[in-house]
Amino acid sequence: MSTTHDEPMHDRVDHERELRARLLVQRAEQSVIAAFRVRVYELGWSLRGTVGGVKEPVKMACGKGHTAEAAPISVLAGGFNVDSQFGPLPQSELAGCFSCTRDRERAEELAAFPKYAADFDLWVLGDEKTQYGAPAKSVRCLSGHVFTLAARDPRIGWKPSADGRFVNPKESDPHEHPCPRCRKIRETPKLSAFKVNAAKQGVMILEPLTGAVAQRVSICCVVGHLSQIVINQGYTAEVMCRVCRTGRSAPPHDVFYVVSGTDSVTGVPTVKLGISSGTGHKRLEQHASVGLSQRHLVRTGLPKGVARALETALLTHLTKEGWKRTRGEEYFSLDALPAIVSFAGDWLDEAA
């Protein structure tokens, strides 16, 4: 008897529970949608479509008109899709439009290029364009290599992957020197050994290295002899100068000099410091042949090791003071002349 009266009661309870559940879901969805609208407003976006369910993407635009799609539930779950091409962004990146952030980072990279070029001693030769039409610069490194690179600072915003590898095999660490030929020379044992051997013997390399071990390079020894030598032979040669190899070794470095003029290689006023042997006449003539004919300081007959020690100390001092090279290790802007002559004179007086 009770069963016939209880069945309608159970139906009413189930119906009420179902209605209550629907109301709770609607209120929750309305709360999420309300939070979504507030969040969109806070971030400076405007809605461009009707807000439907919490999981239905809604079109919106930033203040500059860049479009994006966002589902209201993303306000709580952590991200929205930009132009429906990129994956969900972290909650921390919701504060900025992807396109605006990208444009801002590109502008920062372009503005920082002069510092990037100065940090790596790059001489800017002119404006260029990349294959995609982006701004680029034609530059020359200290070793004389001319190449083109994008007119931006790649160090901004760069982060290596967690395992230390690069996502793109063609990419490299932006904190390394960007010259591709210098990188090849550093990574090729014979080319690297050739430069070390030349520095050890006081030999000037008169032309940029191309990165080939078969290259025949023009050199000037510490005495001033002009000759040529193949890299494949010179990297192990006890005496690189062909003239000096005929029965005698290279003489000691007992001359320190400072010359200046308009460098015919770079076309800019330049001061050059260096060491030589004997009277230094032939070496100074070699510098004069490229425009560096004015002599400011020439000290001959220095005790063994003094000229080399002064050169090392002076180059270290100029680097610490922020003087940039124009080409090679010992070439500086003419503005550095007073500092070079003053330091060298004081150093020699103390060493006397």
Side-chain angles (χ1 to χ4, degrees):
M1 184 181 275
S2 59
T3 304
T4 56
H5 292 287
D6 290 341
E7 286 180 352
M9 180 67 68
H10 288 302
D11 292 340
R12 285 199 301 272
V13 171
D14 293 340
H15 182 65
E16 290 176 357
R17 288 177 178 174
E18 185 178 349
L19 290 176
R20 190 179 297 112
R22 289 180 182 177
L23 289 174
L24 291 174
V25 170
Q26 290 178 358
R27 290 176 182 176
E29 290 183 346
Q30 290 173 358
S31 298
V32 171
I33 292 174
F36 171 72
R37 290 181 180 275
V38 171
R39 187 60 173 156
V40 167
Y41 174 79
E42 290 175 344
L43 298 176
W45 295 80
S46 60
L47 297 177
R48 293 292 179 86
T50 303
V51 180
V54 295
K55 295 183 179 180
E56 296 180 12
V58 182
K59 280 199 171 184
M60 58 185 190
C62 73
K64 292 187 177 182
H66 301 131
T67 59
E69 288 186 351
I73 194 64
S74 67
V75 174
L76 303 179
F80 60 82
N81 294 334
V82 181
D83 294 332
S84 301
Q85 298 177 7
F86 303 91
L89 299 177
Q91 187 73 21
S92 60
E93 296 187 20
L94 287 173
C97 167
F98 179 85
S99 299
C100 290
T101 302
R102 179 189 58 195
D103 293 344
R104 182 175 62 253
E105 290 177 350
R106 286 178 177 174
E108 292 175 356
E109 291 174 352
L110 290 172
F113 178 77
K115 183 179 184 305
Y116 176 74
D119 288 345
F120 290 102
D121 296 309
L122 300 177
W123 192 269
V124 179
L125 303 178
D127 296 327
E128 300 286 347
K129 291 287 186 180
T130 66
Q131 58 179 332
Y132 303 106
K137 297 288 185 181
S138 175
V139 300
R140 181 179 59 241
C141 72
L142 284 180
S143 297
H145 304 132
V146 177
F147 60 99
T148 301
L149 77 165
R152 62 185 185 88
D153 188 343
R155 299 171 297 183
I156 295 180
W158 180 87
K159 294 180 180 179
S161 57
D163 58 359
R165 299 180 180 180
F166 306 114
V167 178
N168 187 344
K170 295 183 179 180
E171 292 181 356
S172 59
D173 188 343
H175 296 88
E176 294 182 352
H177 199 284
C179 177
R181 294 215 175 149
C182 286
R183 186 184 305 119
K184 182 177 181 180
I185 291 172
R186 289 195 307 269
E187 296 173 353
T188 304
K190 288 185 178 180
L191 295 173
S192 179
F194 180 81
K195 294 188 68 176
V196 172
N197 196 22
K200 183 179 178 181
Q201 298 184 28
V203 170
M204 284 197 312
I205 301 173
L206 302 180
E207 57 186 294
L209 302 183
T210 62
V213 295
Q215 179 187 2
R216 183 177 294 275
V217 184
S218 297
I219 61 174
C220 178
C221 76
V222 70
V223 181
H225 299 142
L226 298 178
S227 61
Q228 291 185 330
I229 191 169
V230 178
I231 293 176
N232 219 7
Q233 300 170 348
Y235 80 100
T236 57
E238 293 184 4
V239 180
M240 298 177 69
C241 174
R242 177 175 52 82
V243 181
C244 292
R245 280 201 304 271
T246 60
R248 56 191 177 91
S249 60
H253 303 155
D254 57 357
V255 177
F256 180 84
Y257 62 84
V258 178
V259 295
S260 71
T262 300
D263 191 348
S264 61
V265 176
T266 62
V268 299
T270 302
V271 56
K272 165 74 167 67
L273 61 98
I275 59 177
S276 185
S277 298
T279 62
H281 178 69
K282 290 186 177 180
R283 194 99 182 220
L284 294 172
E285 280 189 340
Q286 173 64 26
H287 291 314
S289 68
V290 293
L292 307 179
S293 58
Q294 189 170 357
R295 303 176 185 180
H296 300 277
L297 178 64
V298 179
R299 290 286 185 92
T300 62
L302 297 174
K304 182 179 180 180
V306 171
R308 173 69 72 183
L310 170 56
E311 181 187 48
T312 302
L314 182 51
L315 290 175
T316 302
H317 171 73
L318 293 173
T319 300
K320 289 182 179 179
E321 292 297 318
W323 293 103
K324 298 298 182 181
R325 277 77 168 171
T326 56
R327 71 174 177 99
E329 185 68 15
E330 302 159 354
Y331 296 78
F332 294 86
S333 169
L334 189 59
D335 296 337
L337 176 60
I340 292 175
V341 174
S342 176
F343 183 94
D346 294 342
W347 198 95
L348 289 171
D349 291 341
E350 293 178 1

